[in-house]
Amino acid sequence: MIYNRIALFRADRGVSRRDLADAVGVNPQTIGYLERGDYSPSLELAMKIAAYFGVAIEMLFSFNPFESVADTLRRNGEGG
């Protein structure tokens, strides 16, 4: 399984599924499938999504589950 943070990046940037889908040339449903983990992207699609957000592909996709945002903030001393 490939884990991703697409929904997190979309929410942070205020981007709809449709906007992202249009930008990378897929159907909005594909973005939903990716976010839920029901579909693994091709390398080309993963690279397009990473380029859209201007981040390294490893920031968006991983073979291991990502740490939660709350845990990351707590570990870095930035949490409430």
Side-chain angles (χ1 to χ4, degrees):
M1 175 165 196
I2 295 179
Y3 298 90
N4 72 76
R5 295 190 211 171
I6 297 170
L8 180 68
F9 274 78
R10 276 195 322 97
D12 183 61
R13 311 275 175 100
V15 175
S16 71
R17 283 184 179 165
R18 177 168 300 285
D19 290 340
L20 178 57
D22 289 346
V24 299
V26 297
N27 186 299
Q29 286 181 311
T30 300
I31 301 301
Y33 293 142
L34 287 168
E35 289 179 349
R36 288 189 303 275
D38 294 338
Y39 175 73
S40 293
S42 66
L43 177 58
E44 178 181 0
L45 180 54
M47 291 177 74
K48 284 180 179 181
I49 294 170
Y52 177 84
F53 289 115
V55 298
I57 199 167
E58 296 87 358
M59 293 290 296
L60 281 171
F61 299 96
S62 175
F63 289 116
N64 300 306
F66 287 101
E67 180 178 47
S68 74
V69 173
D71 288 343
T72 301
L73 291 174
R74 195 174 311 110
R75 185 173 39 80
N76 292 332
E78 299 171 16

